[in-house]
Amino acid sequence: MPHRARPAALALALAPVLAFAVSGCGADVSPEAGEGAGARASSGGHYPVTVENCGEKLTFEKAPRRVVTNDVGITEIMFALGLEDHMAGYVMPDDKGDLTKVPWKDGYRKTTWLSKERINKELVLDARADLVFAGWNYGFSEGDGFTPQALRRVGIDSYLLSESCRNGQGKARGVMPPLDALYTDLRNLGKVFDVEDRAETLVARFRDQVAQAQAKAPKGADRPRVFLYDSGEDKPLTSGAYAGPHDIITKAGGDHVMKDLKDSWTTVGWETVVARDPEVIVINDYGDTTAEQKRRFLTSYKPLANVSAVKNDRIFTLDYVDLVESPRNPAAIGSLAAYLGGLGS
């Protein structure tokens, strides 16, 4: 995958919770964190606050002031909450599309683009980060030695993207439905940064967007079978039940053909795709290979010649940030729902 440390590779389950205290924003992770926090908070003021993140309780004595985010979806979660002033900057590759038309364009204008390469410990130390918001294979990786545990040793806290939570089943990720992961992160961060009203407003707005899309989406026997194609020629990288495309496809009125995969982003064999005969293929547009190049591959790859989506040229494109956990997910559901709803007309 390109520099965004994409969800192609997966990893081990989260390490056991250890009691510790670190500097920076003062996150304290311990089995007892929630008890003390509740008693102290009741005495007045917002802090300390405790949230649960990928099975760990994180307690914050104050709002982080120098957050470094990795990747476009994670960065836009911060922007959607209006937290630019709490950021030291963001890391993402130079293939994120036109940002002058996105709802959070002012966030990009106000915030420093720290690097187009992989996030690493030296970068966040140079940025004087007090919190890194990233995810497993959205920046965090044992192979690169960049992990929450490594950051704790140098006094930097971490918040993990909920889509990327490891579930204890080997290297698989995913502990909740994809949209629930988005809503969980919005609410958690709303609490951490004392903007809970903003978070609830966003969640309500997004739920309404999804409901409006569902009202117009195909239903019952009219739901077309849909396959998400990310990349890969020998074996396709796709979405299981815990990556964003699952909820985007199903709530847009499609039948996700890989819904039985209890993982987020993972590879399958082309024979599985052929056997499930998708009627629509959604292309994930990002990286060095363009959406048009991916389309040409799919339509010229002989094993797919008799797949319904290829025979009928029903191939739809969404951007990377539409499909990973991000505040663009609800709008993506609307776009796909409109496409699927028009197939029978």
Side-chain angles (χ1 to χ4, degrees), residues 20-85:
F20 67 95
V22 296
S23 59
C25 71
D28 174 24
V29 180
S30 71
E32 302 78 27
E35 300 172 15
R40 290 191 299 273
S42 64
S43 63
H46 182 75
Y47 296 96
V49 296
T50 299
V51 297
E52 184 169 325
N53 177 222
C54 291
E56 288 190 278
K57 287 185 177 180
L58 307 178
T59 297
F60 292 82
E61 302 294 336
K62 58 183 178 179
R65 295 298 310 176
R66 296 193 60 80
V67 182
V68 171
T69 57
N70 184 72
D71 208 6
V72 58
I74 291 170
T75 300
E76 291 187 2
I77 289 173
M78 291 290 287
F79 291 165
L81 287 166
L83 296 174
E84 300 93 325
D85 291 344

Side-chain angles (χ1 to χ4, degrees), residues 263-299:
D263 204 342
S264 59
W265 298 89
T266 188
T267 56
V268 296
W270 282 118
E271 62 276 8
T272 302
V273 179
V274 172
R276 298 185 182 190
D277 189 27
E279 296 165 281
V280 174
I281 296 175
V282 176
I283 289 175
N284 185 3
D285 185 12
Y286 75 99
D288 295 331
T289 305
T290 67
E292 182 55 35
Q293 288 172 320
K294 292 178 182 181
R295 174 189 282 270
R296 286 201 297 268
F297 166 71
L298 292 169
T299 56

